[in-house]
């Protein structure tokens, strides 16, 4: 089992819709969870992080964490074409590593 | 404010050659990481360091070596380059492990022919 798994893409949503991105992790000792966005040919950039169970909102983005289910998600409301990118889930594990999933490619159709 | 700086941006190596990818950060971060990203894939951890003089293997360390003699610098050494090492390499740093953002360099695109 991979340490961090993301739902396979690509994912396409119409402009204005909600995009839902999912991630599961295997290390129960993981403490911090991150969502990065990566445009084609660019470096990853942080969207938000979460470390407590529940929801965390930042503008159009909401991260959800369920440690019992070892599940993290990112919701993007009112999706815009500029949100089209690859979204990477990252987990800070008990082994002091920052481990990334394989990413989900999102396309927002005008 | 430079952040994380990687050099070179592009490089073509012949099979069997060696090279060092340079990474330096000016944010006084303790944690530094080297990742590789193959086309259409996520980031795979090669090596990481939690401070000067301390390094640990990540998921894919074979064929690579690192050193961390200062807080600022974390070079990645490729010995005997192979086509399987063709990838984009990212260096990143963070202040600490928990609840802090990892900042990435612009990447090095390496092709081994």
């Amino acid at each position: 089992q991979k340490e961090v798994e993301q739902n396979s893409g690509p994912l396409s949503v119409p402009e204005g819709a909600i995009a839902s991105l999912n991630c599961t992790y295997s290390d129960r000792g993981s403490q911090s969870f991150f969502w990065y966005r990566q445009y084609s040919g660019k470096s990853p950039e942080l969207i938000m992080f979460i470390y407590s169970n529940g929801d965390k909102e930042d503008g159009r983005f909401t991260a959800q964490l369920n440690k019992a289910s070892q599940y993290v998600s990112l919701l993007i409301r009112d999706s815009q074409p500029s949100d089209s990118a690859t979204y990477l889930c990252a987990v800070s594990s008990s082994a002091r590593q920052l481990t990334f999933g394989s990413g989900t490619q999102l396309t927002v159709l005008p | 404010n430079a952040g994380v700086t990687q050099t070179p941006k592009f490089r073509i190596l012949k099979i069997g050659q060696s090279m060092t990818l340079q990474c330096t950060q000016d944010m006084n971060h303790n944690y530094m990481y080297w990742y590789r990203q193959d086309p259409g894939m996520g980031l795979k951890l090669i090596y990481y360091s939690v401070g000067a003089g301390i390094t640990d293997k990540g998921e894919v360390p074979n064929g690579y070596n690192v050193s961390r003699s200062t807080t600022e610098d974390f070079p990645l050494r490729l010995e005997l380059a192979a086509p399987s090492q063709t990838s984009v390499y990212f260096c990143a740093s963070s202040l600490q492990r928990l609840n802090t953002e990892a900042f990435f360099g612009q990447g090095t695109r390496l092709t081994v022919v």
Side-chain angles (χ1 to χ4, degrees):
Chain A
Q1 180 187 6
K2 292 183 65 175
E3 289 190 40
V4 180
E5 293 203 52
Q6 295 186 239
N7 52 332
S8 59
L11 175 66
S12 293
V13 299
E15 184 175 355
I18 295 175
S20 177
L21 304 162
N22 303 316
C23 174
T24 58
Y25 59 95
S26 61
D27 183 357
R28 284 196 173 275
S30 300
Q31 298 185 354
S32 302
F33 309 86
F34 304 83
W35 283 101
Y36 282 82
R37 177 176 61 200
Q38 186 178 28
Y39 292 111
S40 181
K42 301 295 185 182
S43 307
E45 54 182 355
L46 183 72
I47 298 174
M48 59 193 310
F49 69 84
I50 186 169
Y51 54 90
S52 297
N53 276 327
D55 295 358
K56 180 180 179 181
E57 187 174 318
D58 184 0
R60 296 186 295 111
F61 299 93
T62 299
Q64 299 174 317
L65 173 61
N66 184 326
K67 288 188 177 180
S69 300
Q70 295 174 246
Y71 175 88
V72 191
S73 67
L74 180 71
L75 299 177
I76 306 174
R77 291 183 301 280
D78 188 23
S79 296
Q80 301 297 310
S82 58
D83 295 327
S84 297
T86 296
Y87 289 80
L88 299 163
C89 172
V91 175
S92 182
S93 72
S94 54
R96 302 189 297 181
Q97 297 182 11
L98 183 61
T99 303
F100 283 79
S102 57
T104 300
Q105 185 178 343
L106 171 67
T107 300
V108 180
L109 304 170
Chain B
N1 199 356
V4 180
T5 302
Q6 289 183 238
T7 56
K9 288 188 171 54
F10 304 93
R11 183 72 185 268
I12 298 175
L13 275 184
K14 294 185 178 179
I15 294 172
Q17 288 185 321
S18 300
M19 76 165 294
T20 299
L21 280 65
Q22 301 292 345
C23 176
T24 186
Q25 52 92 8
D26 62 359
M27 298 173 282
N28 201 31
H29 285 172
N30 293 321
Y31 285 70
M32 295 189 75
Y33 310 85
W34 273 107
Y35 293 91
R36 60 175 288 173
Q37 186 174 36
D38 298 329
M41 304 295 288
L43 301 170
K44 292 186 178 179
L45 183 64
I46 305 171
Y47 271 95
Y48 67 103
S49 169
V50 301
I54 306 170
T55 62
D56 270 307
K57 295 179 180 179
E59 182 184 358
V60 289
N62 291 344
Y64 308 94
N65 277 299
V66 294
S67 60
R68 184 93 181 271
S69 56
T70 66
T71 298
E72 295 78 20
D73 300 308
F74 190 41
L76 177 71
R77 178 80 176 165
L78 277 73
E79 305 281 1
L80 299 175
S84 61
Q85 293 178 305
T86 294
S87 190
V88 178
Y89 292 83
F90 287 103
C91 178
S93 73
S94 63
L95 184 59
Q96 57 182 351
R97 177 172 63 92
L98 296 178
N99 310 332
T100 57
E101 177 180 0
F103 292 84
F104 283 81
Q106 298 216 340
T108 296
R109 186 175 297 275
L110 175 67
T111 303
V112 181
V113 297

